[in-house]
Every structure is written in C-alpha cells, then in structure tokens.
Amino acid sequence: MHDIQNIVILTGAGISAESGLETFRAADGLWASHRIEDVCTPEALARDRALVHRFYDARRAQLDAVSPNAAHHALARLDADWPGDLLIVTQNVDDLHERAGGARLVHMHGALRSAWCLACDGRSEWHGPMGAAQAGDWPPCPACGARALRPDIVFFGEMPYQMERIEAALARADLFVSIGTSGAVYPAAGFVRVAAAHGARTLELNLEPSAGSGLFDDSRFGPATELVPTWVAEMTGRV
Ligand code: APR
C-alpha cells in the first residue's frame, strides 16, 4: 500500500445517493423524469430558459435539505491526511464534498451553487432560484448586473472543466479510484483507461457492476457509506 503516493478519485451521483439526492440512470432517477435534451443542452437553454432554470432551481433547493454522508466525510479525512498528491474529481454538481471538507476538489461538470453570466462570462456563488420570479424578471449578475445568468453546469456537448489539470493528475496517479458512477458518460468514463495506461492501479467502489467494471484491477460492490470509509481506513491505516 505504501508504494502509492499520488491518488485520483472520481466520484459520481452514487456517492450522494445515501444523502438523499437522486442519481441519473436509476429506474427512478433524474433522467427517468426529465429528458436530457429538454434541460441539459445549450439548445434547451436557448429554446426554453425558464424550464432549464426550473430544473436546476429545484435541484439547488434540495441541497439545503441534505447533508454529506459517511463517504463524503471519509474522503475529506483522506484529503486532509494524505501526504502525497490527491485529487477528487467529481462529476456531481452538489456541494456535499465541500461541506464535508474536501479541499483538493474539481467539479468537472460544474456546480449548482455557481452562476455563469453570459454577458461578462463571470462566475458567482449562487444560492436560491436563478429563474425569473415573474415573466422576464431575470435576476441580475452580481458582477455586471446583466440579466443573462445560466446555471454553471456543463451541459451535454460542452467541454468539462479543468480537463488539463485532471489529465495531468491521471498521468501521475499511482492509484485511481472510481466511486458511485455508472461509467456512462465520457470523458469521465475513460479516466480509468488513462490512469491504467500510465501504470496506476485502479479500484471501483460502486453499488453494483457498472459499464466500466471490467476495466478495473479491483471492484467492490456495496453502498458507498460502507465501502468508502473501509477503503480510507485501509489507506490511512486508521479506523
Ligand atoms: N453507493 C454506491 N454507488 C451507488 C449508490 C450507493 N448508495 N447508489 C447508486 N450507486 C451507483 C449506481 O449503481 C450507478 O452505477 O451510482 C451510479 C450512478 O450512475 P448515474 O446515475 O449514471 O450517475 P453518474 O455516473 O454520476 O452520471 C454521470 O451523467 O447525466 C450525466 O452529468 C451527469 O454527472 C452525470 C454523468
């Protein structure tokens, strides 16, 4: 275990499931009740800005009612204690890693608690609704005042955030761990291959076999709140 210096951890919706947030592809998941092309594409925003905001305003409001779970807290402990490089790359747009204390963190698909102004291109921390309270009454950008805010979420067809930083971390990783993701969406689903190609050991922690399970050196199946604290204890030698 001690030949491991640099770790990259990829998380998906499954790490937040036990906090009460829906995942995407479960039978009762978000993509069962919404069409991606209606709420998570640039075309959807251009076609029906109010609908896109309603979808993300509802998900942002949920954040006030949920808390980080034992998996988020275990990763935050590892992040605080690990002496080598460590990067948590989350596909999630919730704020549960931050609230658990994760510091070395990248939101590659954006974040619900961020607003992106299409007038000044600025990002601002955002709480509460971003849609128009009354028709046409769009909230102003905190930086420039323009009423041109969109959710700071990476839509399908858009480039994920901080890919250079992620690829550099994958190239140096001795261990790549994937937690709570179906391996359905690229480029995240390809990270295991990149890490392995650079000599990293790869581990999957997921509720059930995923599309990428065959690509990992090891897979453990079960709830994240059990698997992640156990794995972190193995890494830190502390229960
Ligand atoms: N513990 C561990 N894993 C879990 C748990 C749990 N309690 N509950 C569900 N899972 C697993 C499921 O088995 C599944 O493999 O989490 C995964 C969730 O898969 P998805 O719903 O596809 O979510 P995710 O992989 O994060 O989706 C990736 O797709 O829709 C886009 O941008 C969106 O970031 C998202 C991306």
Side-chain angles (χ1 to χ4, degrees):
M1 199 62 80
H2 296 291
D3 55 352
I4 293 171
Q5 293 298 318
N6 305 327
I7 306 175
V8 174
I9 300 163
L10 173 68
T11 65
I15 199 170
S16 298
E18 290 163 270
S19 293
L21 292 178
E22 301 98 330
T23 63
F24 291 95
R25 293 170 181 81
D28 58 349
L30 284 164
W31 297 146
S33 46
H34 299 81
R35 289 173 0 120
I36 288 170
E37 52 272 29
D38 289 345
V39 295
C40 192
T41 64
E43 296 76 15
L45 187 68
R47 183 174 57 246
D48 192 343
R49 187 178 173 191
L51 173 61
V52 172
H53 277 301
R54 277 200 302 278
F55 176 67
Y56 287 101
D57 285 353
R59 293 180 64 197
R60 190 177 306 107
Q62 276 187 305
L63 297 182
D64 300 330
V66 298
S67 305
N69 63 50
H72 297 105
H73 287 299
L75 288 189
R77 278 198 307 279
L78 182 64
D79 183 13
D81 293 350
W82 190 256
D85 289 351
L86 181 141
L87 186 62
I88 301 171
V89 180
T90 188
Q91 300 173 91
N92 299 339
V93 293
D94 63 53
D95 60 349
L96 298 178
H97 281 302
E98 293 89 324
R99 286 164 56 191
R104 296 184 274 187
L105 174 66
V106 170
H107 274 278
M108 66 178 289
H109 289 167
L112 288 167
R113 290 253 191 255
S114 175
W116 175 8
C117 177
L118 297 180
C120 70
D121 202 34
R123 270 57 171 190
S124 308
E125 185 169 336
W126 194 267
H127 297 259
M130 201 185 295
Q134 309 295 333
D137 179 20
W138 303 102
C141 167
C144 78
R147 295 175 185 276
L149 296 175
R150 65 163 272 185
D152 190 12
I153 301 289
V154 177
F155 289 154
F156 283 88
E158 296 182 328
M159 234 349 238
Y161 281 130
Q162 301 199 47
M163 282 304 293
E164 283 181 20
R165 179 180 176 193
I166 295 168
E167 283 158 358
L170 290 170
R172 293 166 42 83
D174 305 303
L175 177 62
F176 174 78
V177 184
S178 174
I179 302 172
T181 183
S182 62
V185 172
Y186 284 80
F191 289 170
V192 56
R193 284 193 187 90
V194 175
H198 286 90
R201 287 197 59 72
T202 57
L203 170 65
E204 177 187 37
L205 305 178
N206 204 56
L207 188 65
E208 66 220 339
S210 70
S213 290
L215 301 171
F216 289 86
D217 294 317
D218 300 299
S219 287
R220 299 178 192 174
F221 300 128
T225 54
E226 290 173 20
L227 294 180
V228 179
T230 301
W231 171 68
V232 167
E234 289 167 11
M235 295 303 291
T236 58
R238 285 206 329 249
V239 178

